[in-house]
């Protein structure tokens, strides 16, 4: 990290040193370091954070407004309102053909809180959690905050730039301290989608070793073939050691609403009621009513979002592949391109330079682990026009390949 990229010094470092070791070990987000440099600059094309450029659709906003007017502004069940549990059960049946009982859902303050509650429920101090890398940095930090130890397993990368995750690599990382296997498919930032046969093999490994699986399925709808990504709920029983984390943020452009959900095994409703109570009491009641509307009426909006992402993905992959020193491939899922950029700079310094010279904000690859060095992550959940503008600006700075 360059000196200019270091976070501001703590004015009372001696107090920071008295905090628990697990808190002192929590890393600073490199995405935030870059974003904070240009967050308020209207000229910057902001592609650093996993957020599209569409506003929350009117039918969701109106549902929240209507709920507020009807008095849905008071405390409610810590695990969420029953009507939302039923809507989630219907949603999973509609899209994955699975029956998930309404009592197996808990509503959380976004996907991040879903991951945090899963870690709180499962981890003792020193428990190891296997996480493929490069991956969303919040996963490992949630493990550290709750006393666990993240153990990274690098994705393999083929000659054409595609990622894979051999089961043998995961099995080799298991030790007597391993408690949890984490899967994020479709993956942020790699775009990898786990085939259902590999999911079944991982499920069988977890059953054999008595391990839990935390499945981050936030991007399931964002695939660019003929079907949405499979869910572990399709291949696991209600008694399997599986927790699925999800969010309303991506599908319905609700990042700022902070609403998500957990699916847990049968028999853990009381556990997640308590965790919800002591984490947030509950998320706002009127937001939960808006979330019901998103689930019940929002399938067409999801299709619009995914179609838009597919068009911008094609624009960016084609445009970036022409740039000097840049290697890209079309990701199978999610809405990120993990591009290798060979300029001789660290990925963090490159991200700062692209922000300064191109007015394009990207995430440094090392934000997702040391395996991300030499890469930048670019979010393409933007309009095709903005995707073209970003490519044009990057071309002016990086130049095109020699003919």
């Amino acid at each position: 990290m360059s000196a200019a990229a270091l976070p501001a010094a703590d004015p009372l470092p001696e107090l920071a040193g008295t905090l628990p070791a697990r808190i002192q070990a929590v890393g600073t987000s490199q995405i935030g370091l870059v974003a904070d440099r240009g967050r308020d600059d209207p000229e910057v094309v902001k592609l650093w954070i996993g957020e599209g450029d569409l506003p929350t659709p009117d039918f969701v906003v109106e549902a929240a407004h209507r709920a507020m007017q009807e008095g849905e502004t008071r405390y409610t069940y810590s695990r969420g309102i029953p009507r939302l549990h039923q809507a989630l059960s219907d949603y999973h049946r509609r899209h994955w053909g699975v029956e998930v009982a309404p009592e197996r859902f808990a509503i959380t303050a976004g996907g991040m809180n879903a991951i945090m509650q899963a870690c709180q429920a499962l981890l003792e101090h020193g428990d190891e959690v296997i996480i493929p890398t490069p991956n969303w940095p919040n996963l490992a930090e949630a493990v550290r905050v709750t006393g666990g130890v993240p153990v990274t397993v690098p994705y393999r990368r083929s000659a054409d730039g595609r990622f894979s995750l051999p089961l043998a690599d995961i099995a080799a990382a298991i030790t007597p301290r391993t408690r949890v296997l984490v899967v994020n498919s479709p993956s942020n930032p790699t775009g990898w989608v786990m085939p259902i046969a590999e999911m079944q093999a991982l499920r069988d490994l977890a059953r054999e070793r008595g391990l839990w699986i935390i499945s981050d399925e936030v991007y399931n709808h964002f695939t660019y073939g003929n079907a949405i990504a499979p869910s572990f709920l399709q291949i696991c029983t209600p008694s399997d050691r599986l927790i699925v984390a999800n969010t309303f943020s991506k599908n319905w452009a609700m990042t700022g609403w902070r609403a998500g959900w957990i699916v847990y095994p049968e028999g853990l409703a009381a556990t997640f009621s308590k965790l919800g109570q002591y984490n947030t009491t509950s998320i706002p009641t009127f937001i939960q009513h808006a979330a019901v509307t998103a689930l019940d009426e929002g399938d067409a909006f999801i299709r619009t979002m995914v179609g838009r992402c597919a068009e911008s993905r094609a624009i960016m992959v084609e445009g970036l592949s022409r740039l000097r020193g840049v290697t890209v491939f079309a990701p199978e899922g999610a809405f990120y391109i993990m591009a290798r950029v060979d300029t001789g700079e660290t990925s963090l310094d490159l991200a700062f330079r692209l922000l300064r010279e191109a007015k394009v904000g990207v995430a440094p690859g090392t934000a997702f682990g040391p395996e991300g060095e030499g890469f930048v992550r670019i979010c393409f959940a933007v309009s095709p026009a903005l995707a073209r503008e970003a490519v044009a600006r990057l071309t002016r700075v990086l130049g095109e390949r020699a003919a």
Side-chain angles (χ1 to χ4, degrees):
M1 183 184 296
S2 66
L6 291 171
D10 192 314
L12 295 172
E14 68 278 8
L15 291 183
T18 68
L19 299 178
R22 73 180 190 281
I23 301 302
Q24 294 186 53
V26 173
T28 298
S29 168
Q30 291 187 14
I31 304 172
L33 290 178
V34 178
D36 286 346
R37 293 271 183 102
R39 196 182 298 274
D40 297 324
D41 187 342
E43 295 183 9
V44 172
V45 178
K46 299 174 175 67
L47 308 177
W48 42 44
I49 292 173
E51 183 173 55
D53 62 345
L54 287 176
T56 305
D58 288 344
F59 66 89
V60 176
V61 175
E62 290 163 3
H65 186 213
R66 186 166 56 250
M68 284 189 280
Q69 290 181 317
E70 293 172 356
E72 299 290 354
T73 57
R74 304 179 68 82
Y75 291 131
T76 188
Y77 303 98
S78 60
R79 202 167 50 82
I81 62 173
R83 186 179 169 202
L84 183 49
H85 299 158
Q86 185 60 57
L88 282 165
S89 181
D90 296 342
Y91 168 82
H92 283 79
R93 182 186 309 110
R94 189 164 69 248
H95 290 288
W96 288 277
V98 296
E99 293 293 335
V100 184
E103 59 268 21
R104 289 180 59 200
F105 293 99
I107 308 308
T108 62
M112 182 64 244
N113 183 235
I115 294 292
M116 188 66 76
Q117 288 195 34
C119 291
Q120 290 169 340
L122 299 183
L123 298 181
E124 297 277 9
H125 181 77
D127 283 347
E128 293 178 353
V129 178
I130 294 176
I131 304 175
T133 187
N135 213 321
W136 184 44
N138 298 36
L139 290 170
E141 300 310 332
V143 170
R144 289 192 180 94
V145 166
T146 51
V149 178
V151 175
T152 56
V153 174
Y155 288 100
R156 301 284 185 101
R157 194 169 173 91
S158 61
D160 66 359
R162 296 185 180 276
F163 292 89
S164 63
L165 184 64
L167 184 68
D169 291 357
I170 297 174
I174 295 172
T175 76
R177 296 304 306 264
T178 303
R179 173 75 166 164
V180 177
L181 310 175
V182 171
V183 177
N184 171 215
S185 171
S187 163
N188 170 15
T190 66
W192 167 80
V193 177
M194 191 174 206
I196 196 162
E198 293 182 14
M199 295 169 71
Q200 291 168 329
L202 187 70
R203 175 206 61 193
D204 292 345
L205 176 65
R207 286 174 173 173
E208 176 188 334
R209 304 292 183 91
L211 303 176
W212 283 82
I213 295 173
I214 296 177
S215 181
D216 177 349
E217 300 187 0
V218 165
Y219 298 97
N220 267 0
H221 283 285
F222 291 89
T223 57
Y224 306 100
N226 296 320
I228 61 176
S231 168
F232 271 96
L233 294 167
Q234 294 171 283
I235 61 167
C236 291
T237 71
S239 61
D240 272 315
R241 298 184 184 191
L242 169 71
I243 293 179
V244 175
N246 217 317
T247 184
F248 291 87
S249 293
K250 315 300 181 180
N251 292 346
W252 300 283
M254 294 174 67
T255 51
W257 294 65
R258 310 316 304 134
W261 72 88
I262 284 177
V263 187
Y264 47 77
E266 285 179 339
L268 294 186
T271 296
F272 282 93
S273 289
K274 289 182 283 189
L275 287 173
Q277 179 67 43
Y278 302 131
N279 272 272
T280 61
T281 303
S282 69
I283 74 164
T285 310
F286 57 88
I287 288 179
Q288 296 191 50
H289 284 274
V292 171
T293 299
L295 291 163
D296 289 349
E297 302 177 20
D299 286 358
F301 184 80
I302 295 173
R303 289 192 293 271
T304 297
M305 285 273 286
V306 174
R308 201 165 175 264
C309 285
E311 186 175 351
S312 294
R313 164 181 173 266
I315 290 166
M316 285 195 174
V317 169
E318 195 276 331
L320 295 173
S321 66
R322 298 198 307 263
L323 301 188
R324 184 181 304 121
V326 175
T327 304
V328 298
F329 78 100
E332 299 171 77
F335 46 59
Y336 309 101
I337 290 171
M338 194 69 166
R340 178 179 286 283
V341 186
D342 297 317
T343 63
E345 302 161 275
T346 67
S347 65
L348 183 59
D349 285 337
L350 174 61
F352 280 123
R353 182 163 73 89
L354 294 177
L355 177 61
R356 185 175 62 251
E357 297 180 10
K359 291 285 188 177
V360 175
V362 301
T366 44
F368 308 93
E371 295 80 8
E373 185 61 90
F375 292 83
V376 295
R377 190 199 71 174
I378 302 171
C379 175
F380 57 82
V382 295
S383 70
L386 200 57
R388 290 188 187 92
E389 176 63 22
V391 168
R393 293 185 184 193
L394 293 171
T395 301
R396 287 196 291 270
V397 172
L398 297 175
E400 294 192 343
R401 297 177 185 273

